[in-house]
Amino acid sequence: MEALHIIGEEHQSLAAILHAVRYMLKEVTAGRLAPDLKLFQAMVHYLEAYAALRHHPKEDLLFHRLAQRTADGADALARLAAQHAAAPQRIAVLQQALAAYVADPARLAGFAQAFDDYAEFYRGHMMFEEDAVLPL
């Protein structure tokens, strides 16, 4: 049960980062906030380093154990495994959009869209884990 608690807390932390960047991008786009490129770079780096290197390996271990314990949720576990495997490509798209924006401030809209796409996917991913898999 502690593993489930840890994953839940990590989801909250990741959701907070997603929300903060979305808010900042909204404010930058509206002209109410000056862009802080170093902060955007740090937050995108955190999403890559933490989710890919720390968070997903914990989940993968938990999901492996769930699959050994029960056949319930096999389709959901397979879906999550595929999503985790595609995470490097997903973050690469975001990193490329950020790099383009850093190189050319006129590319803000592209970065904002890439981040929104990433955040929407990740939000749905975490909700799916919590609703379909963690109850197993």
Side-chain angles (χ1 to χ4, degrees):
M1 284 303 180
E2 185 171 339
L4 299 180
H5 179 73
I6 290 169
I7 288 174
E9 285 182 345
E10 290 178 357
H11 281 181
Q12 288 178 356
S13 295
L14 290 164
I17 295 292
L18 295 172
H19 177 76
V21 175
R22 274 181 144 171
Y23 175 79
M24 288 187 309
L25 284 170
K26 183 179 108 184
E27 294 298 299
V28 168
T29 301
R32 294 186 293 262
L33 181 68
D36 186 336
L37 300 179
K38 295 244 185 257
L39 183 58
F40 284 141
Q41 289 170 321
M43 293 175 113
V44 168
H45 173 74
Y46 173 85
L47 290 171
E48 176 192 23
Y50 189 77
L53 302 177
R54 307 257 342 211
H55 179 70
H56 285 164
K58 290 177 193 174
E59 289 180 332
D60 292 341
L61 178 61
L62 176 65
F63 298 163
H64 177 73
R65 289 182 180 166
L66 283 173
Q68 288 178 329
R69 193 182 84 196
T70 180
D72 293 344
D75 291 340
L77 291 170
R79 175 178 161 187
L80 290 173
Q83 289 177 351
H84 285 188
Q89 293 90 349
R90 204 169 350 305
I91 197 73
V93 169
L94 184 57
Q95 290 168 326
Q96 290 167 357
L98 176 57
Y101 171 50
V102 168
D104 178 5
R107 311 271 310 260
L108 171 62
F111 173 54
Q113 184 61 56
F115 193 86
D116 194 54
D117 293 346
Y118 181 88
E120 275 303 305
F121 169 80
Y122 215 96
R123 183 179 151 285
H125 172 80
M126 291 187 295
M127 290 175 60
F128 182 71
E129 286 175 341
E130 291 176 7
D131 294 343
V133 175
L134 295 184
L136 296 174

